[in-house]
Amino acid sequence: MSDVNELARVEAYSDGVFAIAATLLILEIRVPSVDPHAPLAALVHELAGLWPSYLAFVISFGTILVIWVNHHGAVRLLHKTSNAFLYANGLLLLTVTFIPFPTALLARYIETDLAGVAVAVYAGSSLLTNVAFLLWFAAMQKPVYLLRKQYSRPQLRKVWMKLAAGQFVYVPAAIVSWWAPRPGLALIVAIFIFWIVMSFEDRSLI
Amino acid sequence: MSDVNELARVEAYSDGVFAIAATLLILEIRVPSVDPHAPLAALVHELAGLWPSYLAFVISFGTILVIWVNHHGAVRLLHKTSNAFLYANGLLLLTVTFIPFPTALLARYIETDLAGVAVAVYAGSSLLTNVAFLLWFAAMQKPVYLLRKQYSRPQLRKVWMKLAAGQFVYVPAAIVSWWAPRPGLALIVAIFIFWIVMSFEDRSLI
Amino acid sequence: MSDVNELARVEAYSDGVFAIAATLLILEIRVPSVDPHAPLAALVHELAGLWPSYLAFVISFGTILVIWVNHHGAVRLLHKTSNAFLYANGLLLLTVTFIPFPTALLARYIETDLAGVAVAVYAGSSLLTNVAFLLWFAAMQKPVYLLRKQYSRPQLRKVWMKLAAGQFVYVPAAIVSWWAPRPGLALIVAIFIFWIVMSFEDRSLI
Amino acid sequence: MSDVNELARVEAYSDGVFAIAATLLILEIRVPSVDPHAPLAALVHELAGLWPSYLAFVISFGTILVIWVNHHGAVRLLHKTSNAFLYANGLLLLTVTFIPFPTALLARYIETDLAGVAVAVYAGSSLLTNVAFLLWFAAMQKPVYLLRKQYSRPQLRKVWMKLAAGQFVYVPAAIVSWWAPRPGLALIVAIFIFWIVMSFEDRSLI
């Protein structure tokens, strides 16, 4: 099997995990129980009350989508794989697979007095995903250089900085959210929008 | 990686999400609990009473299948991707992933006095999916034209009209079903059959 | 996109559904609840008591695997697709996706007085899958002939007979199991083994 | 369809099952229920108490990943398939699909007096997976030789020994863990690390 096919299989497995992690999120939104003879407004009220679940679903689905778009862009830079890269990819997938858990936690506690813990855990989990993504990007370059040759050090550094921005957002977000959950959540949403915008601006490398 | 391979990866990820969303629907049909010493007829009666679950399963599975066939047809028209297209595709997948929730709601409440809300939510969710499909089709043409060149404006307009027909069905269905749930559901099934028939008639473009 | 790629996408989507339906089966085997201070033998006893779940898991996983091997063999015969074929394939996937439900029913009731209903429903569900497979095989030949040309009528007839054998087993199995569930289940296992043996014997066509 | 495409489909189906089995593991980690007006520390305490679930998740995810890396390496050695190989592959996937069940059992009972049973079942399940992997590797060589020709008997024997090492660990682990669960679990983690290290050292063959 050629290296191109090997990369294709890494992508197929990764795409499978991304697709499933994104799709499992819907299982956390449960159909509310309402007395079947209640007025229509009662069910509408219950459905509206699920807004934290809808919001958590959209944020997590969007996060996985952004990771997928970036993963997709970065794999285009490769011409072969290494075992270190395969395990770094596995670690990244592990953190992506974990996402449904903090998502469910967020949906469950965002409206309660315990919102601080839920947002902090969500920020912490996002931080782990971000660290895994940085390791994954590093494993493309060491111990074996897997990239197609045309990328200069400043170009690679620029991508690295863009990814590492997550560190400077998730750590403060985790700390802030302990006392002020909503500003913490706003930081998480902000970096998410930053990455979407960046992926439009600079498509040349990643 | 060539643009052909890039399209292949978009298809692989989309197919994964379509396949999983369709398959997760079965998790909403729960095995009924019957006293193990009851007569056989008691379990048969309970299984027959699950008909709203079977119906909702078939409608939603069919809807995802029709979207898959159309998605499959439309991607054949492309020769490259853009980031706007990738995010529009992500939005479409988000709405498809959401389908198991209104399906479970429909199965749970279709036989109760609250059927109106369940059908209205189902119609509303179908409307969102339809809007996402229209945006996705628009993102194929702007800001970058991704289609292979041989399609004329009247041809593209015809496809658009066929897709946009959903708007003229789901909005009335959502309103009607509030007072008359079954006619509302009939409208949803009708547009679903219309798209199946159309996909047979006009395979030249989509 | 060439017809070869179109077939590849049908296979990818089908493989996704097969893989997920097979994997979801494990969710029906639930960890037993035992008092944490009970003797070790108590948990062993509970785990051993789950044998109907293990058996149902293995039968259904095996069934999906046999369908996958045959699906895989049959698609090799094609050189293009039609919309009728795509919808017949969708119908086949619908019946495969349904399998976790009768599997859970079988696991739940096989040891009770209600085993007859559970086996009859399982046989009925297998019958539907078999009918869908026959329709799918027919859709390869009409209204458009999708097969690569080298297959003679007797060859195709032989495959058809092998598949249609399911009809002559599942209908009696469903009837018999009403009064005698275990012989009914034995019939279902027998046809399953027959197909595995046949797939070894005659690999030339399907 | 060429043999290369046939192998591609085996990989696609296998990757689907691996990806889903790995991702379903997260469903076993449940959001804890805490009184919404409790102090933040109460939820933190509950989340910390889920450590057996996190540990089980990481071990099982890692195990599936190691199997995937080895599967991926071994399929590279093939130039065609046989039905015996397809069924051996199916058996391997069956044991991989089963992994979420002993994982959930381990998470549930590792901290209780019943830990011995949970670790023994986990070791037993790992043993089955290992036997299936050995059968799968054997089916590559008999009754038809599917490997590309350049592999000598000593080379194949070396791979076999590396895989078969599992036998010499899982059997003692299952026995030991009955009286001493934690040393039993340590053995399972040790062979897991051994395989990761080996896959770095000897990438030439598998």
Side-chain angles (χ1 to χ4, degrees), chain B residues 48-106:
Chain B
L50 289 177
W51 70 263
S53 292
Y54 306 140
L55 179 70
F57 172 69
V58 170
I59 293 176
S60 291
F61 192 98
T63 302
I64 293 174
L65 183 66
V66 170
I67 296 171
W68 179 79
V69 171
N70 280 288
H71 189 272
H72 166 75
V75 172
R76 288 196 312 163
L77 304 179
L78 303 182
H79 72 288
K80 63 176 179 175
T81 68
S82 69
N83 269 20
F85 174 75
L86 290 184
Y87 284 111
N89 194 58
L91 188 69
L92 175 60
L93 296 179
L94 176 76
T95 63
V96 168
T97 302
F98 192 71
I99 290 176
F101 177 71
T103 303
L105 193 75
L106 190 66

Side-chain angles (χ1 to χ4, degrees), chain A residues 1 6 9 13 20-21 24 81 83-84 87 90 93-94 97-98 101 104-105 108-109 112-114 117 121 178, chain D residues 11 15 18 20 23 26 29 31-34 36-40 44 61 65 68 71-72 76 148 199-200 203:
Chain A
M1 187 183 282
E6 217 179 318
R9 197 170 174 198
Y13 182 68
I20 300 155
L24 287 181
T81 68
N83 270 21
Y87 284 111
L93 296 179
L94 176 76
T97 303
F98 192 71
F101 177 71
L105 193 74
R108 177 80 163 266
Y109 290 105
T112 73
D113 297 349
L114 297 166
V117 180
V121 169
W178 195 262
Chain D
E11 289 200 302
D15 283 359
F18 287 136
I20 300 155
T23 317
I26 195 65
I29 310 187
V31 172
S33 269
V34 174
H37 302 296
L40 295 187
V44 172
F61 192 97
L65 183 66
W68 179 78
H71 188 273
H72 165 75
R76 287 195 312 162
R148 289 194 256 126
S199 73
F200 275 90
R203 218 194 166 207

